[in-house]
């Protein structure tokens, strides 16, 4: 037997019932990988069966199956050949360099503490749902979401965030990213070609609107929130905002600016997309209520469990004005036929039984402790630094004195010391006057996934590096 056919020997030694499938798979893999090149003539079924010690019928069946699939070709009396249509897959190149040691301290914002996920309560809810859910509950769900979950969310969001949350306004989505993409697609279909975004702001907003064919216009901030002058001059009719805790600066829009923003939306018959990504986490007083509660016909409100439970759940909500509701629901239906029914029923039970409120209290206590640890560590190791945006959320802005600059050198040194940080300038869009470069070092420090001890160690390591 030639070496080209020796690769089939393991298939020939497979258990009798699986031998035919194993032979077919081995031949298919040999053709795909290029070990059997296009144009190669295969042995006759009699010869190959004799070489492998299997029945001729097994080989004949394998040849016929792979000929039907296009891997082989044959002609009357001309033998069997490897087909010309098959091309070997290109091997993926991977970086095989050793990973750094596990003592890296990561202050990049965006991730909660996944160890706080309530596994026991979630498992109990899952068992209960699987026991109680009727068979018809496993069919295609309402694209808006299960009525049970939309009712639970309407009560929760009305109580905690002050929104106008009729269940008929609620659409269950797979996170804020899908909510944004749905709205962007609907606006594009209505002829809206641009939307304003905060500068600095979340990079994902620009990417999600661009994927729907909607361009973005960066708009600067002032001390009260989105600056109204540039907004009015931009000509946009839609704008994406994070008014409860602006990302990344951490400011809460003032009452005056919230009112001015709504006046603008009414004057242009426009829309404000309110991304309430971490609105439940406020440490100095009760969370600032959602903007949507002031004008539900000019504000689309979205949030998710990504910071309170885990981003891997891909579970969120979108509250839409009545004039957009049908279009959004139809786009949701054609996108994915609705969010998974089991996940919706599970979260509905989690909310109804108070488990979600308990989880938020656990997270608030943990994150407040970590925020305090970060503020204390910066005061100790970087005297003269200013920390802002700490009244809410899961990250803070640290402005370090000029003596620690320039910023590029600071970042290079702390990165070399095994500390991951991101400068405020990284979140500017660079068009509408994002964070200006200066001599001070301005950092966006996420603290949620780090224990107080790791926070202190990370700040101390930064200080030693510079």
């Amino acid at each position: 037997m030639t070496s080209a056919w020796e690769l089939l020997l393991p298939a020939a030694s497979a258990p009798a019932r699986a031998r035919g499938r194993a032979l077919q798979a081995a031949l298919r893999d040999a053709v795909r990988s290029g070990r059997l090149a296009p144009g190669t003539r295969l042995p006759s079924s009699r010869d190959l069966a004799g070489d492998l010690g299997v029945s001729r019928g097994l080989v004949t069946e394998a040849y016929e199956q792979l000929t039907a699939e296009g891997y082989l070709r044959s002609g009357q009396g001309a033998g069997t050949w490897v087909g010309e249509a098959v091309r070997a897959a290109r091997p993926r190149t991977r970086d095989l360099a050793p990973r750094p040691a596990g003592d890296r301290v990561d202050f990049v914002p965006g991730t909660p503490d996944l160890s706080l996920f309530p596994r026991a309560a979630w498992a109990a809810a899952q068992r209960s749902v699987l026991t109680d859910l009727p068979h018809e509950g496993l069919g295609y769900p309402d694209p808006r979401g299960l009525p049970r979950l939309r009712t639970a969310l309407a009560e929760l969001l009305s109580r905690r965030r002050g929104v106008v949350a009729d269940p008929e306004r609620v659409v269950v989505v797979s996170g804020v990213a899908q909510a944004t993409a749905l709205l962007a697609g609907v606006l594009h279909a209505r002829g809206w070609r641009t939307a304003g975004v905060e500068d600095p702001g979340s990079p994902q907003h620009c990417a999600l609107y661009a994927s729907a064919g909607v361009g973005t216009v960066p708009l600067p901030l002032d001390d009260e929130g989105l600056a109204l002058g540039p907004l009015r001059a931009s000509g946009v009719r839609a704008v994406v905002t994070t008014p409860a805790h602006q990302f990344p600066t951490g400011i809460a829009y003032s009452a005056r600016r919230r009112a001015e923003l709504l006046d603008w939306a009414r004057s242009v018959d426009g829309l404000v997309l309110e991304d309430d990504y971490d609105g439940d986490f406020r440490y100095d007083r009760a969370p600032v209520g959602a903007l949507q509660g002031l004008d539900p016909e000019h504000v689309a409100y979205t949030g998710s469990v990504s910071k309170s439970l885990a981003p891997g759940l891909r579970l969120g909500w979108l509250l839409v004005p009545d004039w957009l509701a049908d279009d959004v629901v139809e786009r949701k239906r054609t996108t994915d036929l609705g969010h998974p029914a089991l996940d919706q029923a599970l979260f509905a039970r989690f909310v109804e039984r108070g488990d979600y409120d308990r989880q938020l209290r656990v997270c608030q206590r943990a994150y407040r402790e970590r925020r305090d640890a970060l503020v204390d560590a910066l005061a100790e190791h970087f005297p003269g630094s200013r920390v802002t945006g700490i009244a809410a959320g899961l990250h803070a802005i640290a402005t370090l004195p000029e003596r620690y600059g320039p910023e590029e050198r600071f970042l290079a040194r702390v990165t070399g010391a095994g500390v991951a940080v991101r400068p405020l300038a990284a979140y500017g869009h660079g068009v509408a006057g994002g964070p200006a470069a200066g001599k001070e070092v301005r950092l966006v420090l996420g603290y949620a996934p780090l224990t107080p001890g790791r926070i202190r160690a990370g700040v101390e390591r930064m200080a030693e590096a510079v």
Side-chain angles (χ1 to χ4, degrees):
M1 179 183 291
T2 64
S3 59
W5 308 114
E6 289 175 355
L7 55 89
L8 302 179
L9 284 173
S13 61
R17 289 187 176 182
R19 198 169 295 157
R21 290 192 300 273
L23 180 59
Q24 292 175 29
L27 273 170
R28 193 181 290 113
D29 181 65
V31 175
R32 281 177 178 162
S33 66
R35 287 177 291 175
L36 291 179
T40 301
R41 182 169 184 169
L42 277 63
S44 69
S45 58
R46 186 188 305 275
D47 290 344
L48 184 57
D51 287 341
L52 295 177
V54 299
S55 71
R56 182 182 178 186
L58 207 67
V59 176
T60 300
E61 184 180 357
Y63 279 5
E64 291 176 348
Q65 179 64 33
L66 268 68
T67 298
E69 294 177 3
Y71 290 93
L72 306 180
R73 60 179 173 83
S74 63
Q76 187 69 29
T80 303
W81 306 75
V82 176
E84 303 292 339
V86 184
R87 294 292 181 270
R90 294 179 180 177
R92 294 184 64 185
T93 57
R94 296 182 180 272
D95 182 6
L96 299 180
R99 293 182 179 272
D103 65 344
R104 182 172 179 264
V105 182
D106 192 344
F107 285 108
V108 175
T111 305
D113 184 351
L114 301 178
S115 71
L116 295 179
F117 184 78
R119 292 174 182 264
W122 196 258
Q126 191 171 51
R127 287 192 298 270
S128 176
V129 165
L130 287 172
T131 300
D132 299 338
L133 191 69
H135 297 314
E136 56 269 24
L138 295 172
Y140 289 109
D142 184 330
R144 295 173 298 173
L146 297 186
R148 176 184 178 185
L149 178 55
R150 288 188 284 116
T151 299
L153 284 172
E155 188 280 328
L156 174 79
L157 297 172
S158 295
R159 171 170 52 85
R160 295 193 66 96
R161 303 300 298 123
V163 302
V164 176
D166 183 330
E168 296 305 306
R169 290 182 179 268
V170 178
V171 180
V172 179
V173 294
S174 58
V176 171
Q178 187 184 45
T180 303
L182 290 174
L183 278 173
V186 167
L187 294 178
H188 183 271
R190 287 173 170 253
W192 297 30
R193 295 293 183 264
T194 55
V197 293
E198 297 170 324
D199 187 13
S202 172
Q204 78 163 0
H205 290 149
C206 294
L208 290 168
Y209 272 87
S211 68
V214 177
T216 50
V217 179
L219 299 169
L221 307 167
D222 58 26
D223 292 340
E224 296 186 71
L226 198 67
L228 265 295
L231 173 60
R232 294 191 182 100
S234 69
V236 301
R237 292 177 58 200
V239 65
V240 188
T241 64
T242 51
H245 185 237
Q246 200 278 329
F247 184 85
T249 65
I251 64 174
Y253 280 30
S254 69
R256 183 178 71 170
R257 186 55 46 83
R258 288 154 67 93
E260 291 172 341
L261 183 59
L262 293 176
D263 286 341
W264 164 83
R266 295 169 193 135
S267 70
V268 299
D269 194 21
L271 180 71
V272 178
L273 172 59
E274 180 177 13
D275 180 356
D276 197 23
Y277 68 100
D278 66 357
D280 274 307
F281 300 110
R282 180 101 189 187
Y283 310 118
D284 57 345
R285 56 181 173 82
V288 176
L291 187 68
Q292 187 264 5
L294 299 174
D295 192 340
E297 289 306 313
H298 287 95
V299 180
Y301 172 90
T302 183
S304 76
V305 302
S306 293
K307 301 298 187 290
S308 53
L309 287 171
L313 295 178
R314 306 313 306 137
L315 183 59
W317 43 86
L318 171 63
L319 277 65
V320 291
D322 184 65
W323 56 278
L324 281 177
D326 290 344
D327 290 354
V328 168
V329 171
E330 178 59 17
R331 187 165 289 267
K332 170 67 176 173
R333 185 186 68 79
T334 57
T335 298
D336 59 15
L337 297 181
H339 201 75
L342 276 175
D343 294 349
Q344 293 189 66
L346 197 164
F347 187 54
R349 183 187 185 279
F350 205 73
V351 172
E352 291 163 353
R353 292 175 60 88
D355 291 323
Y356 189 62
D357 284 304
R358 282 189 285 275
Q359 172 68 8
L360 289 172
R361 289 194 293 270
V362 169
C363 292
Q364 285 171 337
R365 288 194 295 268
Y367 296 150
R368 179 168 188 161
E369 180 184 15
R370 295 168 196 197
R371 179 207 64 175
D372 293 345
L374 176 65
V375 173
D376 292 344
L378 288 168
E380 177 182 353
H381 296 288
F382 290 92
S385 61
R386 302 191 312 276
V387 188
T388 56
I390 60 174
L394 309 181
H395 69 273
I397 304 296
T399 302
L400 310 184
E402 292 181 10
R403 63 179 178 275
Y404 296 106
E407 191 168 86
E408 294 78 5
R409 184 178 66 184
F410 177 93
L411 294 172
R413 288 182 174 180
V414 299
T415 299
V419 181
V421 294
R422 188 163 292 172
L424 179 60
Y427 297 94
H429 302 298
V431 176
K439 296 182 179 179
E440 296 176 320
V441 177
R442 293 187 293 174
L443 308 174
V444 183
L445 299 176
Y447 50 79
L450 302 172
T451 65
R454 290 291 287 169
I455 290 170
R456 288 189 286 269
V459 174
E460 182 177 3
R461 189 183 300 183
M462 281 198 296
E464 292 173 350
V466 299

